[in-house]
Amino acid sequence: MFQKLSIALFLSAFTLGVAESAKAVSLNPGEFTPFMFGDAGTPTSSFDFNVGKGGGKLKVTDVGFAGDIFQVSNFGTVIGNTSSVSPNDNVFTANPGEAFNNPLFSSGSFSLDAGNQSITITPTASPFGSGTGFLKVPEPLTILGSIAAIGMGAFLKREYSRKSNLVK
């Protein structure tokens, strides 16, 4: 019982700390960013960002005690829901990467086209009345872009080497 109370107090302190900074959320592509939510049906503030050429994947996960489920919208159009899970106050993590990979926590991955995005997350199940979740926006440089950059670098190195040999 004391352990559950300690965890609940930790989560409340964490939630209040994040709530203070929720007004000016800075999204770092490729990193999980916290968001606060309340009762089921109450949407979060929108998260506005741009996805680079080729599009990308948005990841959303619950943390804290397992059981919260989310509906994800882009410019007001529902793009999907996180996985269905059962509430469980015996399962806890504050680590979004761990939660995203744990089937006991609700999570989802959503494809986004290139361009401007305006994501809103609405809890459809919030058995504890409020909590914290995380989202991860795609990095602007896609894997395909990385491969192209490496290929261009190899080509330029070969051209430089060829020209160096001609000068000798």
Side-chain angles (χ1 to χ4, degrees):
M1 179 67 180
F2 179 72
Q3 183 181 13
K4 284 185 185 179
L5 181 60
S6 297
I7 291 171
L9 289 173
F10 166 78
L11 186 58
S12 295
F14 177 77
T15 300
L16 288 174
V18 174
E20 288 299 315
S21 63
K23 296 172 189 144
V25 174
S26 175
L27 296 172
N28 295 318
E31 296 178 18
F32 279 106
T33 301
F35 64 87
M36 306 306 306
F37 61 91
D39 289 325
T42 306
T44 63
S45 299
S46 64
F47 298 92
D48 300 328
F49 57 95
N50 190 288
V51 175
K53 231 179 196 178
K57 295 277 186 187
L58 170 72
K59 294 181 178 182
V60 177
T61 190
D62 177 31
V63 297
F65 293 111
D68 304 297
I69 302 170
F70 307 108
Q71 179 181 73
V72 180
S73 301
N74 193 4
F75 289 107
T77 301
V78 175
I79 60 173
N81 295 297
T82 59
S83 56
S84 292
V85 295
S86 297
N88 190 337
D89 65 356
N90 290 317
V91 178
F92 178 88
T93 185
N95 180 322
E98 183 180 304
F100 187 82
N101 293 311
N102 184 336
L104 296 176
F105 287 88
S106 181
S107 63
S109 183
F110 308 93
S111 295
L112 299 175
D113 293 331
N116 292 328
Q117 315 295 322
S118 184
I119 300 296
T120 304
I121 301 168
T122 304
T124 58
S126 181
F128 307 106
S130 66
T132 304
F134 281 81
L135 75 156
K136 182 192 270 190
V137 300
E139 294 188 53
L141 186 61
T142 63
I143 292 173
L144 186 59
S146 299
I147 292 169
I150 291 168
M152 182 58 89
F155 172 76
L156 292 173
K157 182 178 178 182
R158 188 175 11 172
E159 283 297 306
Y160 176 78
S161 177
R162 186 177 66 81
K163 288 182 181 180
S164 297
N165 289 335
L166 289 176
V167 172
K168 292 181 184 176

